[in-house]
Amino acid sequence: MTALTAETATAGPVPGGTVPGGTGTVAPAEFREAMTRFATCVTVITALAGDRPVGCTATAVFSLTDRPPTLVVSLASHSGTLRAVRAAGTFAVNVLSWQQRDLADRFARLPAELRFDRVPHDTVHDAPLLEGTVTGVVCRVADCVPLDDHILVSGRVLHARVHDGVTPLVHFARRPSTPELPA
C-alpha cells in the first residue's frame, strides 16, 4: 500500500506512479482507486429532453442545505443528461434500490435512446421519477457551476418521496452492495 500527498508529489516520482505534469496531485489511477473506497448510494439523474425522458447513473450527489432544501449533482460537461437538465430547468435524483442494480449499468452504459426502454416511471414537476426507488427527489435548477470536466448542478427541491423498507444500492470497491440497515 502506498500513500501519496501533494507534499511528497512535488518531490518527484513515487512508488505506484508518477505525478503527471508536476501538478502536485496524485496520479489519476491512484485517485480513482481511492475513490472506490467511498461507499456511496447509486442514483440515476433524470430529466426531460423535450417529451423524451433521459438519464444517467451518478454517485456524486449530496445535500447542500435544508434552508432552502437543495441538492447538488455532478454531471460530466459533455453529458446529454446535463444538456437536458439545463434546457428543462428541472431534474430528478432517483436513489436506486438493491433490486434495481441492473439499472445502474443500464443508465451508465446503454446508448441514451435505449436507457428508458421498459423502465417504469412517472413524471412529477416535469421530471421523470423511476418507480421502485428508495427515494426520488425532483429539483428546479438553481445554479450550474463548471469545475474541471464536470458541472455541479444545484437544485431546489420541489418534491420528495420516500419508500420505507427498500434496501438501497451502494457501490463500494467497484462492487454493488447493500448497507447493513438497523432492525
Side-chain angles (χ1 to χ4, degrees), residues 41-44 93-97 100 132-137 166 168-169:
C41 283
V42 180
T43 70
V44 172
V93 177
N94 300 273
V95 178
L96 297 183
S97 71
Q100 295 174 307
T133 59
V134 174
T135 191
V137 179
V166 181
L169 172 61

Side-chain angles (χ1 to χ4, degrees), residues 80-163:
T81 300
L82 173 63
R83 283 191 300 280
V85 164
R86 286 179 140 170
T90 58
F91 64 94
V93 177
N94 300 273
V95 178
L96 297 183
S97 71
W98 173 251
Q99 292 76 17
Q100 295 174 307
R101 57 192 176 278
D102 62 312
L103 293 183
D105 281 336
R106 168 184 281 275
F107 279 89
R109 301 184 199 290
L110 283 182
E113 62 275 5
L114 300 177
R115 292 177 183 172
F116 267 91
D117 283 355
R118 296 182 308 277
V119 175
H121 66 281
D122 57 349
T123 302
V124 176
H125 292 286
D126 296 322
L129 276 175
L130 304 181
E131 293 180 13
T133 59
V134 174
T135 191
V137 179
V138 177
C139 300
R140 180 181 61 249
V141 174
D143 201 5
C144 294
V145 179
L147 192 59
D148 296 327
D149 63 350
H150 277 64
I151 304 291
L152 299 181
V153 180
S154 67
R156 301 282 195 259
V157 177
L158 302 172
H159 173 83
R161 67 180 179 196
V162 175
H163 298 104

Side-chain angles (χ1 to χ4, degrees), residues 21-39:
T23 61
T25 62
V26 299
E30 290 176 86
F31 173 72
R32 284 190 301 274
E33 186 62 28
M35 291 301 96
T36 69
R37 300 319 193 269
F38 280 53

